[in-house]
Amino acid sequence: MKIVIATEIRSTDVANLVDNNVVYRPDLERKAAHLFAAALSQIRPEFVIVRERPNDAVLHRWRKAVQGERALGVIEIGRFAKVDAAPLTAFSGIEFFRVADDHGCPEMEALLLAESSAVHYLTNGKPAAEAVRRGPAGTRPGQRVAMVGGGIINLITAFELARSGYAVTLFDVAPDPRAGAGWRSYGCTFGGCDARIFSFNEGRHHHFKGYDIGQGTNTQFHRPIAEGGWLAADPATLGPEDEDWIDCFSQVPPWLAARFDQNIVSFNMESWPLWRCYLEAYPALFSEVGFQDRLLRLYATPEKYAHAQQSEAALESVLRDIDAAALAGEFPSLAAAVAGGHVAGALEVQGFSINVHKLGCRLISEAEKLGVVFHHDCAVTGVVRDADGAVAGVRCGTAVISSDHYVVSTGAYSNDLLRAFGSEGRVAPMIGMWLTLADEPPYLDLPLKISRAGYASQGAAEGANVIAGRDDQGRRVVYISSGHGYIGIDNRDPSLAMLADLGRAVEETAAQYFPAQFRRAEAAGELAQRTKYCIRPWTPHGLGLFEMLPASGGGAVVLTGGHNTGGFAQSPSVAKAVRLALQGESHPMHRLYHPSRFTHFLRSAAVQREALP
């Protein structure tokens, strides 16, 4: 999408707003109408941001210059008595929008409005489900769904679809997790430690740090962890696909990252009551899986604490504010951390923790009771299309599995399969570290999210999760996770030397918050054997993916994934969006996680409409 800002903006906002696809031409509003029209004819933008609406001659010439069924928009900034979210009356195929001049930066609001308008028309102005469905909408009893991928998102989705009347078969390349194979045999859900947290801002856009632009903005994947970056691979080992992924990440402007952050959080918020419904309706799922229905956030510095008090309050997630001086008395397991000066304040917030391996195994068993059939150790390597280009099946070995619908969620190493989708090249593996300590009296009272200080805390290891659980021998343990490191697309053998820096950040967190347990593990020489990693599916723009294709016979193919660190938290929302898609109904995720959303904004791609007036 190309946008022209034809009015003056503050010099401090120029670096944040002007980009390859955002052309700054403040001279145009001062020039003669024919010069304004000539510029628009040459630049050919989809949107123009002005403070005074161009005259009809300018608009006619612009409309004529931009051929095809492209929706054009004029966004007028001014002091309006009323500002409507919907566009005003169209004129010659041009829509008019208004932004009130009472914002700190109304031009930024105008850019956000333009991006929202483009998202609205990503599927030709139709609900995403209708855009791919060719048969009758709605669930028919016994409709078959073939699912690819056995991580927590697809397990929740399979359970949701089965209880909605679908006949579900799920294929996963990994062994049955109930068989207890080695942790490196599994993907993100079963490959790391047995712990996950739900919070309102789980999986947020980790790279939105405000609107200031500087030399370090969006350079995290060009710098190693020791230098404040997120790179955990030798740059010489990265290939063209890695360069494309990193380049895409580098081009996300802060103002749009802020919008993406809001979208991500919105699906966490939607998932919260859905999780509560699961808890009430299916208590067997949450029995003996380490469910802790509380969450405590700790802040290592007064600045982090003060910022969180505002941000968490804005989400309405705060249950109570806890002064650091009172924390040790109420939670003895944190007394050493408080005494060491590592806690400036705490907030108890809405959220919970769970042992995700146990939950995943329980989901498989409960889903089987609903008729879901699981095929483990079965690699799906591609899709088969019919003469019309619709998906007619998925290939597993030499066999082709056909179904009415298909749901694909394959994790961090999915690029071979994604070549059949518009999401190709969008997913890369991001590694995170885990350390397990013995949980000793006084036992950990409740799960923690720590906004930490220290090594790499200004970069790849800003935060840490701490969750209690029981290991395979039934012993009480504490799982500590932290860090993000880009290891390269399709890199299945991460360098242990490159992971040392991430390991250092996790060990530092353990030493600060659980010093006695850490010293004993260190003295016993057990740190190495207590350390694991998991590899998460990340997208360059920070949004998850939700893509739909037509299937033979009028069904749908749905691809989900790339949820960064928020897959578990958002899984009920993803499951709902999938179910609605198969029923021919729409859901906000269909557009907001559309794989072309950011590339469409970034490039001068046309916004398509069915017809123009």
Side-chain angles (χ1 to χ4, degrees):
M1 179 199 310
K2 187 169 286 187
I3 303 168
V4 168
I5 300 178
T7 186
E8 284 197 43
I9 59 180
R10 296 179 305 185
S11 59
T12 53
D13 293 324
V14 171
N16 195 11
L17 303 185
V18 177
D19 216 323
N20 290 335
N21 66 319
V22 180
V23 180
Y24 184 36
R25 289 292 304 274
D27 58 301
L28 293 181
E29 280 194 326
R30 301 184 180 185
K31 289 183 174 177
H34 71 280
L35 296 177
F36 198 163
L40 294 185
S41 298
Q42 183 177 9
I43 299 170
R44 296 165 56 83
E46 281 91 353
F47 284 89
V48 176
I49 299 172
V50 295
R51 287 184 176 271
E52 184 176 340
R53 173 173 164 171
N55 66 33
D56 290 359
V58 173
L59 298 175
H60 276 301
R61 186 169 173 185
W62 177 32
R63 175 68 270 177
K64 184 178 180 181
V66 184
Q67 298 295 323
E69 297 178 348
R70 281 169 66 176
L72 305 180
V74 175
I75 303 176
E76 188 177 359
I77 298 171
R79 298 189 179 278
F80 304 112
K82 181 181 179 182
V83 177
D84 295 317
L88 304 179
T89 304
F91 168 82
S92 300
I94 299 175
E95 294 176 331
F96 296 89
F97 304 83
R98 286 176 170 177
V99 169
D101 191 11
D102 57 3
H103 302 279
C105 183
E107 295 81 12
M108 185 184 300
E109 296 297 322
L111 289 175
L112 289 168
L113 193 154
E115 200 271 338
S116 295
S117 178
V119 170
H120 182 70
Y121 293 118
L122 273 173
T123 53
N124 297 323
K126 299 178 180 179
E130 293 180 18
V132 300
R133 293 295 301 277
R134 299 184 300 176
T139 305
R140 297 189 297 276
Q143 272 193 321
R144 300 168 301 153
V145 183
M147 303 188 69
V148 181
I152 190 64
I153 289 177
N154 253 10
L155 291 179
I156 291 287
T157 302
F159 189 82
E160 174 72 13
L161 294 179
R163 73 189 190 105
S164 299
Y166 289 93
V168 178
T169 305
L170 188 147
F171 303 86
D172 189 40
V173 67
D176 188 329
R178 296 170 295 183
W183 63 274
R184 288 185 177 88
S185 303
Y186 297 100
C188 183
T189 297
F190 296 102
C193 284
D194 190 11
R196 289 294 186 276
I197 280 176
F198 174 90
S199 68
F200 282 7
N201 61 9
E202 205 70 16
R204 70 192 188 284
H205 199 291
H206 289 71
H207 297 289
F208 174 63
K209 305 298 181 185
Y211 297 102
D212 293 336
I213 296 285
Q215 292 292 316
T217 302
N218 289 3
T219 63
Q220 288 90 335
F221 296 108
H222 292 277
R223 292 179 281 126
I225 291 162
E227 297 177 11
W230 285 40
L231 185 60
D234 182 347
T237 65
L238 302 181
E241 287 184 315
D242 297 299
E243 293 176 3
D244 289 344
W245 193 97
I246 293 171
D247 284 346
C248 184
F249 161 81
S250 301
Q251 295 176 77
V252 181
W255 62 266
L256 192 50
R259 163 64 59 81
F260 292 169
D261 183 71
Q262 294 168 4
N263 297 154
I264 294 166
V265 170
S266 74
F267 295 125
N268 291 338
M269 302 288 279
E270 180 185 47
S271 289
W272 174 244
L274 296 176
W275 277 118
R276 310 314 293 185
C277 288
Y278 278 126
L279 279 162
E280 183 176 345
Y282 301 98
L285 285 177
F286 300 91
S287 174
E288 299 182 0
V289 295
F291 178 71
Q292 287 283 340
D293 201 10
R294 300 173 71 190
L295 180 60
L296 190 64
R297 286 186 172 274
L298 306 183
Y299 303 93
T301 67
E303 294 77 16
K304 290 177 178 289
Y305 182 36
H307 179 267
Q309 286 174 310
Q310 295 183 10
S311 61
E312 291 293 328
L315 295 176
E316 298 183 352
S317 68
V318 179
L319 298 177
R320 61 189 179 120
D321 198 319
I322 308 173
D323 183 78
L327 191 69
E330 184 173 353
F331 302 103
S333 60
L334 301 176
V338 174
H342 302 298
V343 182
L347 299 173
E348 186 174 356
V349 299
Q350 301 276 17
F352 64 86
S353 70
I354 205 160
N355 298 139
V356 72
H357 297 177
K358 297 178 180 65
L359 174 65
C361 291
R362 184 64 57 85
L363 274 166
I364 294 172
S365 298
E366 293 299 315
E368 286 177 333
K369 295 177 183 178
L370 295 175
V372 178
V373 177
F374 289 86
H375 295 281
H376 291 98
D377 295 301
C378 182
V380 172
T381 57
V383 302
V384 177
R385 297 180 184 270
D386 63 20
D388 296 324
V391 172
V394 293
R395 186 175 288 108
C396 184
T398 59
V400 175
I401 295 105
S402 297
S403 186
D404 298 311
H405 305 288
Y406 306 85
V407 178
V408 179
S409 185
T410 55
Y413 295 107
S414 55
N415 279 300
D416 287 344
L417 189 56
L418 291 187
R419 298 188 201 287
F421 295 85
S423 298
E424 178 182 0
R426 301 288 199 279
V427 176
M430 196 78 65
I431 203 161
M433 303 301 292
W434 291 85
L435 179 63
T436 303
L437 296 177
D439 191 9
E440 302 170 354
Y443 296 119
L444 181 63
D445 307 272
L446 72 172
L448 311 174
K449 290 192 74 71
I450 301 172
S451 185
R452 57 184 295 274
Y455 182 75
S457 63
Q458 298 301 311
E462 181 181 17
N465 287 357
V466 181
I467 304 103
R470 291 186 180 270
D471 64 13
D472 294 339
Q473 286 74 46
R475 297 171 297 196
R476 296 182 71 133
V477 294
V478 174
Y479 300 115
I480 304 172
S481 71
S482 186
H484 309 85
Y486 186 89
I487 60 174
I489 290 177
D490 293 330
N491 178 7
R492 298 173 185 266
D493 187 21
S495 165
L496 295 180
M498 296 298 296
L499 298 183
D501 285 330
L502 277 181
R504 176 181 168 184
V506 180
E507 290 181 7
E508 182 182 74
T509 300
Q512 291 173 346
Y513 291 86
F514 303 95
Q517 296 96 312
F518 178 79
R519 285 194 299 268
R520 278 189 277 275
E522 185 178 37
E526 297 177 347
L527 291 181
Q529 69 189 62
R530 290 173 175 270
T531 301
K532 293 182 180 181
Y533 58 77
C534 67
I535 299 177
R536 314 177 185 105
W538 274 64
T539 60
H541 40 62
L543 296 170
L545 296 172
F546 198 101
E547 180 175 357
M548 298 188 65
L549 298 175
S552 297
V557 183
V558 178
L559 180 141
T560 69
H563 296 97
N564 307 338
T565 59
F568 165 77
Q570 292 189 13
S571 53
S573 182
V574 176
K576 179 180 179 180
V578 171
R579 176 176 56 79
L580 291 175
L582 300 191
Q583 293 173 190
E585 301 175 45
S586 62
H587 183 277
M589 190 177 289
H590 299 170
R591 287 196 177 94
L592 296 180
Y593 281 2
H594 192 288
S596 297
R597 177 179 176 183
F598 179 61
T599 53
H600 174 83
F601 168 78
L602 190 65
R603 300 167 188 163
S604 295
V607 181
Q608 298 295 322
R609 291 288 300 278
E610 285 188 282
L612 289 172

